[in-house]
Amino acid sequence: MLEEEYQLDYFKAQGFVRKTCKACGAAFWTRDASREVCGDAPCEPYTFIGNPIFRPHTLDTMREAYLSFFERQGHTRIERYPVVARWRDDIYLTIASIADFQPFVTGGIVPPPANPLTISQPCIRLNDLDSVGKSGRHLTTFEMMAHHAFNTPSEEIYWKDRTVELCDQFIASIGGDINQVTYKENPWIGGGNAGPSVEVLIGGLEIATLVFMSLGRQKTQEKGYDLKGEMYYPMKLRIVDTGYGLERLVWASKGSPTIYDAVFPEMVSHVMGLAELDHMLGNKDFAKILALNAKYAGLMDISGTNLFNLRKKVAAAIDISPDKLDKMITPVEKVYAIVDHTRCLAFMLGDCIVPSNVREGYLARLVIRRTLRLMNDLRIKEPLADLIEQQFRILGNRKFEQDIAVVREIVDRETEKYAATLERGTRIVQKVAKTYKAKSQRVPLSEVMTLYDSHGIQPEMVKEIAAREGAVVDLPDNFYSIVADMHSESKKEVEEDKTAKYMDRVRALPPTKKLYYEQPADIEFEAVVLDFFDEYAVLDQTLFYPEGGGQPADTGTLVSAESMVRVDDVIKVGEVVLHHITGGVLQRGERAKGMVDEERRLSLMRHHTATHILLHASKEVLGAHIHQAGAQKGADSSRVDIRHFKHITPDELHRIEIAANRMIMTSQPVEISIEDRTRAEQKYGFSLYQGGVPPGRDIRVVKVAGDIEACAGTHCQNTGEVGMIKIIRVEHIQDGIERIEFTAGVAAIYYMQHLEQIVNTSADILSVQPENLPATVTRFFTEWKDQKKEVERMSGKLVDLETRTLVAEVVGGVNVVIKRIDLPQKELSALASSVAEKGGVALVAGGGETARVVLASGDSRVNAGEIIGQVCSLLGGKGGGKPSMAQGGGPDINQLDLALKVGRERILASLHD
RNA sequence: GGGCCGGUAGAUCAGUGGUAGAUCGCUUCCUUGGCAUGGAAGAGGCCGCGGGUUCAAUUCCCGCCCGGUCCA
């Protein structure tokens, strides 16, 4: 980035000088001409610990100080957005305040909710999860306080000078000495945008970043810049994107040893108490160690082996062994991590994330399990739900959409699930360990991989449990990267977009007038054919709904003067609707009459409206966290996938069904309006985006019985037209997602008639009244089981009886029984083996549909497995088994006597050898 | 969405192309004044569901259902 970007009039007027850091070589601005380093880590250590640089503040007072300062400077205060970025399809969690306004506001498509504005946005970043608690400064959750100004070519709000000036003034307003502040030049690139940026440093701490987003990847007439090999060009919109770290400001205002002591002191002391570490709290020497630890940690990246180096450094400074230090400090680090993680979870669950093994739900589960592990390490018995509830209270209940009772239930469930996984895991590892120990081998890496991949058992745990069993485990340091490599081999399939290839062809055509929105109840229309290619017809206007939003396309017919054709598919390319035609062609310029298949269209509309109703009914019954995870409408039945943390019970399903049908019976009007995206978001919240995030400045808002969504589908005009909703089944798609399959309108009636028929037919078969079906079926089933047992007993007796009447010939001192007994195979086996058990040889055969032969041998000279093959081949079949016991059969029952004769000869021959 | 592992007695799990097993629990009896315990006997299985291969499938193959788990 060019140097002149940072030559601000404000810097000059205030007497700043531009210097180059002696340590890192970066350029920075300062009022202190004698300054030599930039003020950033690792060039400069923390100076504020034990020596606060602002007036003391809590999170709440600091936030208020910030927001009201910027309000006084003409900014509008905006409510925070959720920590789960439901308006984005590229990220799961809100990672910065500017993320609230991407991509539509920053892309210039939609105006901002206010301009300029100020906000304190809770953000979650899990990339530094490992460092949380250890470094003294890392957090998973932080509030990014910001003021944003969006400058357009026609309206300039303010730009770099004013932004830096506001920063100075704000720092002064909370008691900071602006002479200590440095502004470090640090060009910013991210998410396809770039611009000059300065880091705001004081006391060795970066407290804010001021970004001037002014470049984008889109090529323009103006001169471009090459940044890290990519070309960037000036954007029309220039955005002031600032980010002030609320927690860091509070930390610097208190000068406590770690950021954790500063931002959540009540929770730290509470969890310390639970871990029985209270004695550490008042200990001054210990506070010194922590401060020292944080200071050094601030100077280094502590991931991986660096943590050991940090320990060594701190240990050397206070003259104790690194081991001893580690024992002292590790439990406290875990306490900090627990406090941080529970706050993170309060935000995640409070903003309605449902833990699962997909998407943001996976991240929530990750944090939950990590926290449970930490609590277990410290032998904290208090339920995790209690800790999260306390965080809820500290943060203020009103901030969250989700009810604390539901949050508690979710957490308790997750806790139980994790305990079950651990228990199961322990057993599996013990078994594996024993196996390898018995073979006196090491447990191979492949085994550890399977345990992790398939059973979710951490390698460290495998090692620990195996050690208890006395087995050694092969575990390389780069275990996780090996796992990652294994997974990355899976190929990604690129889905072909059929609309893409018509993009150019369609560009010249005017947008199709969408009669299906204007007159959704109509089924006939007239239009002019604008274009015809590849069996696709483009009309000036249409009633045919193109596939989209989980609703399939309409079908129907088009009639022109020349021909009558079927419309079997309809797609939308940009704003142009393409009708796929079969059975003829259409000419450009001719008039055509269109007729939509009425039944199908009506049914699709009913199902679509029903989807909204059902979603709202589910929310009423199950809780605020219910969000749509996908939906597919059909003419006969439809399904909607919802995020929920447990199986929906039959009772809940009934209540949902009733609630949904009540909404139908009250015949509430369906309201559809086109609204400005930002205003709609402010008005209705982000549950608008149940079915995904539509592009564009305006969105189509559909209100159905209290459900408000951005939706492009066709709908009934009031809920009564849906007729009825019948839930067919609920399916558990994957962890955290339940699929409700249902049918609506006439299709629902057909479905119930079908059910009725199944019941009636079944009742007829048993000659009972439908009401008695369950009782009768139960009776039949138990009787069937009893009789099966009875048959078994009888068979046993039969075998006994037969055994006693068997006449054996004695050959070479061995009893040989050859007999045809028409019994099932199982009994034949029992019979033969009872002879063999006494040292005899028995060849028994039975007839029926096919011949069955069993040969059991209690004499080593007679190999049953060999002889049976020959016997069965005579029957046109095969057989086999062990030397002591063989079975077989074949279709030629007539040959049975011959087969027995040959068998007898073979047995006798064997005994004579 | 992609991958991997699993589904056998009430529970936990062995096992096998050829008569379904162990341990705990359960029932009854014996030992004891009673309990812990010890001994004996017994009940309890659509070997997840549906198809295929085979003389024969709980076992092999395919599809489905259910549970677990890793990754994006």
Side-chain angles (χ1 to χ4, degrees):
Chain A
M1 193 71 50
L2 299 170
E3 253 180 52
E4 64 243 33
E5 291 279 356
Y6 298 98
Q7 302 287 337
L8 306 186
D9 293 340
Y10 178 76
F11 281 153
K12 282 174 201 152
Q14 290 284 315
F16 276 86
V17 285
R18 185 175 191 268
K19 303 204 68 169
T20 302
C21 176
K22 206 175 70 176
C24 69
F28 66 96
W29 293 82
T30 174
R31 285 185 170 92
D32 177 2
S34 63
R35 211 171 215 296
E36 292 191 311
V37 289
C38 64
D40 199 2
C43 307
E44 188 174 319
Y46 299 154
T47 60
F48 62 89
I49 294 181
N51 184 24
I53 48 178
F54 306 124
R55 278 191 299 275
H57 282 83
T58 64
L59 284 178
D60 289 335
T61 62
M62 184 63 87
R63 186 189 306 111
E64 187 50 38
Y66 183 90
L67 294 173
S68 55
F69 171 82
F70 281 94
E71 268 181 330
R72 286 195 301 275
Q73 305 299 326
H75 295 69
T76 305
R77 189 191 294 218
I78 298 293
E79 277 301 304
R80 77 163 179 101
Y81 283 44
V83 293
V84 48
R86 299 194 194 281
W87 61 94
R88 300 277 296 261
D89 49 16
D90 52 343
I91 51 172
Y92 298 135
L93 300 171
T94 307
I95 51 169
S97 66
I98 194 69
D100 297 350
F101 309 108
Q102 289 168 319
F104 299 106
V105 174
T106 54
I109 298 163
V110 179
N115 198 6
L117 60 83
T118 183
I119 189 169
S120 185
Q121 177 59 45
C123 299
I124 297 180
R125 294 185 187 177
L126 300 180
N127 353 358
D128 292 320
L129 204 51
D130 273 335
S131 302
V132 173
K134 293 175 191 157
S135 69
R137 71 172 190 281
H138 281 97
L139 298 165
T140 55
T141 315
F142 61 96
E143 277 186 55
M144 187 183 280
M145 300 193 295
H147 60 103
H148 297 292
F150 304 87
N151 299 298
T152 65
S154 59
E155 191 187 15
E156 176 86 7
I157 309 294
Y158 57 79
W159 193 232
K160 291 181 271 192
D161 292 274
R162 176 67 176 151
T163 303
V164 175
E165 182 185 9
L166 284 168
C167 183
D168 267 352
Q169 289 176 359
F170 170 67
I171 290 170
S173 80
I174 55 170
D177 175 5
I178 53 171
N179 291 316
Q180 309 260 334
V181 177
T182 57
Y183 292 95
K184 181 184 175 185
E185 297 180 13
N186 182 26
W188 176 86
I189 305 175
N193 295 110
S197 152
V198 289
E199 288 177 1
V200 183
L201 304 155
I202 182 168
L205 189 68
E206 179 191 344
I207 55 164
T209 306
L210 313 176
V211 177
F212 304 98
M213 205 192 281
S214 53
L215 301 173
R217 298 296 314 282
Q218 199 176 346
K219 197 167 164 33
T220 62
Q221 301 296 319
E222 292 176 70
K223 191 171 93 87
Y225 299 84
D226 187 328
L227 303 172
K228 293 191 180 164
E230 306 266 19
M231 287 306 287
Y232 287 82
Y233 301 90
M235 300 189 295
K236 277 197 201 124
L237 201 63
R238 289 171 301 123
I239 300 166
V240 174
D241 171 20
T242 63
Y244 289 70
L246 170 60
E247 287 79 3
R248 287 189 174 193
L249 286 167
V250 171
W251 184 19
S253 86
K254 290 192 179 173
S256 57
T258 71
I259 197 167
Y260 317 111
D261 304 295
V263 300
F264 23 62
E266 320 89 319
M267 277 305 277
V268 168
S269 66
H270 177 65
V271 178
M272 283 282 212
L274 295 175
E276 292 173 5
L277 295 168
D278 331 38
H279 55 281
M280 300 290 218
L281 283 170
N283 187 325
K284 281 197 181 126
D285 291 335
F286 193 68
K288 257 184 220 157
I289 294 172
L290 282 180
L292 200 61
N293 195 60
K295 260 187 200 179
Y296 281 122
L299 298 178
M300 56 205 284
D301 166 20
I302 59 156
S303 56
T305 50
N306 276 345
L307 181 65
F308 180 67
N309 294 333
L310 171 66
R311 289 281 191 272
K312 275 208 302 206
K313 265 191 171 168
V314 177
I318 56 172
D319 198 27
I320 62 168
S321 76
D323 259 2
K324 197 173 167 194
L325 175 70
D326 197 67
K327 280 207 182 74
M328 273 171 84
I329 210 167
T330 302
V332 180
E333 289 174 342
K334 288 180 175 171
V335 168
Y336 290 147
I338 289 169
V339 175
D340 166 87
H341 293 1
T342 49
R343 191 167 80 125
C344 177
L345 288 168
F347 272 106
M348 283 178 147
L349 302 175
D351 282 355
C352 292
I353 294 183
V354 176
S356 74
N357 50 13
V358 293
R359 299 167 57 93
E360 69 273 6
Y362 177 70
L363 300 176
R365 174 166 293 167
L366 187 84
V367 177
I368 290 176
R369 295 199 164 183
R370 208 185 152 82
T371 313
L372 286 169
R373 224 163 25 238
L374 290 166
M375 287 171 68
N376 186 51
D377 289 347
L378 296 180
R379 302 189 196 296
I380 294 177
K381 294 283 177 280
E382 178 129 334
L384 176 57
D386 283 3
L387 294 181
I388 294 174
E389 183 167 354
Q390 287 176 55
Q391 294 280 19
F392 239 69
R393 266 206 301 276
I394 292 169
L395 292 165
N397 277 324
R398 274 165 305 160
K399 284 192 169 181
F400 298 108
E401 206 186 330
Q402 183 64 282
D403 193 80
I404 182 63
V406 177
V407 171
R408 290 198 63 108
E409 195 182 347
I410 289 173
V411 174
D412 286 341
R413 251 190 94 75
E414 284 294 312
T415 306
E416 277 167 31
K417 263 185 119 145
Y418 184 55
T421 302
L422 278 188
E423 205 189 300
R424 193 167 355 98
T426 307
R427 270 201 314 268
I428 294 169
V429 176
Q430 280 173 346
K431 203 162 69 190
V432 170
K434 273 184 190 149
T435 312
Y436 284 96
K437 203 201 167 198
K439 289 192 276 186
S440 48
Q441 289 173 358
R442 300 162 71 88
V443 179
L445 177 62
S446 63
E447 200 70 59
V448 186
M449 299 267 274
T450 311
L451 288 169
Y452 175 68
D453 216 32
S454 303
H455 302 288
I457 307 165
Q458 309 287 329
E460 293 77 18
M461 192 180 145
V462 175
K463 204 168 181 171
E464 201 184 303
I465 297 165
R468 261 183 267 149
E469 296 295 324
V472 186
V473 176
D474 276 335
L475 187 60
D477 287 340
N478 59 343
F479 177 82
Y480 288 100
S481 56
I482 295 174
V483 173
D485 284 348
M486 203 169 71
H487 287 292
S488 65
E489 279 168 22
S490 60
K491 279 175 256 168
K492 268 188 188 169
E493 276 179 43
V494 183
E495 208 174 300
E496 203 194 341
D497 186 2
K498 61 180 173 182
T499 63
K501 63 179 183 177
Y502 296 119
M503 218 43 166
D504 286 337
R505 174 93 194 201
V506 152
R507 193 155 292 150
L509 296 167
T512 311
K513 199 172 168 202
K514 300 176 186 73
L515 298 176
Y516 50 83
Y517 283 156
E518 292 165 22
Q519 306 152 19
D522 289 358
I523 54 152
E524 284 186 19
F525 68 103
E526 301 225 339
V528 177
V529 180
L530 297 183
D531 200 357
F532 186 78
F533 54 88
D534 267 12
E535 300 184 322
Y536 279 107
V538 178
L539 309 173
D540 63 334
Q541 56 179 357
T542 187
L543 263 181
F544 285 99
Y545 180 81
E547 181 187 348
Q551 182 177 332
D554 284 332
T555 58
T557 45
L558 279 171
V559 182
S560 71
E562 303 283 315
S563 56
M564 178 171 142
V565 295
R566 280 295 294 169
V567 175
D568 64 355
D569 192 23
V570 188
I571 57 172
K572 200 172 139 208
V573 180
E575 288 301 304
V576 178
V577 178
L578 274 59
H579 305 72
H580 189 260
I581 304 296
T582 59
V585 293
L586 293 172
Q587 300 300 322
R588 197 177 303 178
E590 71 181 335
R591 297 194 63 82
K593 190 176 168 186
M595 275 165 295
V596 175
D597 291 339
E598 187 175 12
E599 274 303 312
R600 181 183 152 85
R601 151 62 80 82
L602 270 178
S603 193
L604 287 171
M605 271 165 53
R606 289 197 186 104
H607 277 101
H608 199 150
T609 305
T611 306
H612 290 231
I613 294 175
L614 212 46
L615 191 64
H616 192 62
S618 307
K619 205 178 249 189
E620 260 185 29
V621 173
L622 302 174
H625 58 283
I626 295 300
H627 282 85
Q628 183 178 310
Q632 182 63 53
K633 289 94 186 176
D636 297 326
S637 70
S638 298
R639 54 188 161 86
V640 55
D641 298 343
I642 59 175
R643 300 191 187 284
H644 189 44
F645 52 88
K646 61 178 183 188
H647 294 335
I648 301 175
T649 64
D651 175 60
E652 283 166 340
L653 210 57
H654 285 154
R655 277 156 53 205
I656 291 169
E657 199 174 65
I658 297 281
N661 279 291
R662 284 225 166 95
M663 292 170 196
I664 290 171
M665 290 171 213
T666 48
S667 281
Q668 301 167 48
V670 173
E671 290 168 39
I672 298 172
S673 55
I674 305 292
E675 298 192 41
D676 173 278
R677 173 187 298 274
T678 306
R679 226 165 306 154
E681 284 177 357
Q682 300 285 323
K683 207 151 82 183
Y684 309 118
F686 297 98
S687 55
L688 271 176
Y689 302 132
Q690 300 284 336
V693 185
R697 172 186 177 126
D698 296 320
I699 53 177
R700 188 167 178 264
V701 177
V702 177
K703 298 182 201 169
V704 182
D707 174 76
I708 303 172
E709 289 183 43
C711 178
T714 56
H715 287 278
C716 301
Q717 284 173 307
N718 73 68
T719 58
E721 287 175 26
V722 174
M724 69 171 292
I725 292 176
K726 177 80 193 97
I727 293 176
I728 297 174
R729 67 173 72 87
V730 64
E731 226 178 322
H732 182 67
I733 290 302
Q734 56 183 200
D735 206 12
I737 299 183
E738 302 288 304
R739 169 168 296 170
I740 299 178
E741 207 176 325
F742 65 96
T743 170
V746 181
I749 313 241
Y750 285 144
Y751 175 72
M752 291 178 70
Q753 287 173 343
H754 174 66
L755 283 186
E756 192 180 46
Q757 201 200 338
I758 291 172
V759 171
N760 287 343
T761 311
S762 309
D764 271 358
I765 292 170
L766 299 174
S767 300
V768 297
Q769 292 298 307
E771 303 81 274
N772 296 333
L773 211 45
T776 309
V777 171
T778 309
R779 204 189 79 217
F780 271 66
F781 189 63
T782 45
E783 269 176 25
W784 172 76
K785 280 207 280 195
D786 288 348
Q787 283 171 5
K788 206 177 77 166
K789 265 175 247 161
E790 190 57 27
V791 167
E792 261 171 42
R793 262 191 292 276
M794 305 280 275
S795 304
K797 278 197 177 149
L798 206 60
V799 170
D800 261 8
L801 226 61
E802 287 283 354
T803 314
R804 263 180 253 152
T805 59
L806 281 178
V807 184
E809 54 182 315
V810 181
V811 181
V814 177
N815 283 334
V816 178
V817 175
I818 313 285
K819 198 177 178 195
R820 172 165 177 172
I821 311 166
D822 285 347
L823 286 174
Q825 174 126 14
K826 219 172 175 182
E827 280 68 43
L828 291 178
S829 303
L831 202 59
S833 52
S834 75
V835 174
E837 270 163 25
K838 290 175 227 145
V841 176
L843 174 63
V844 289
E849 294 271 310
T850 59
R852 312 237 140 261
V853 188
V854 177
L855 172 55
S857 165
D859 190 291
S860 59
R861 284 173 294 176
V862 179
N863 187 324
E866 283 176 12
I867 296 172
I868 202 89
Q870 201 173 356
V871 173
C872 291
S873 68
L874 288 166
L875 299 165
K878 288 180 196 164
K882 297 171 286 191
S884 61
M885 177 76 172
Q887 297 169 58
D892 300 338
I893 300 175
N894 300 334
Q895 302 294 314
L896 206 51
D897 291 332
L898 177 65
L900 285 180
K901 198 172 154 223
V902 171
R904 176 169 182 272
E905 281 162 14
R906 284 293 314 269
I907 292 165
L908 297 188
S910 299
L911 287 172
H912 283 304
D913 282 345

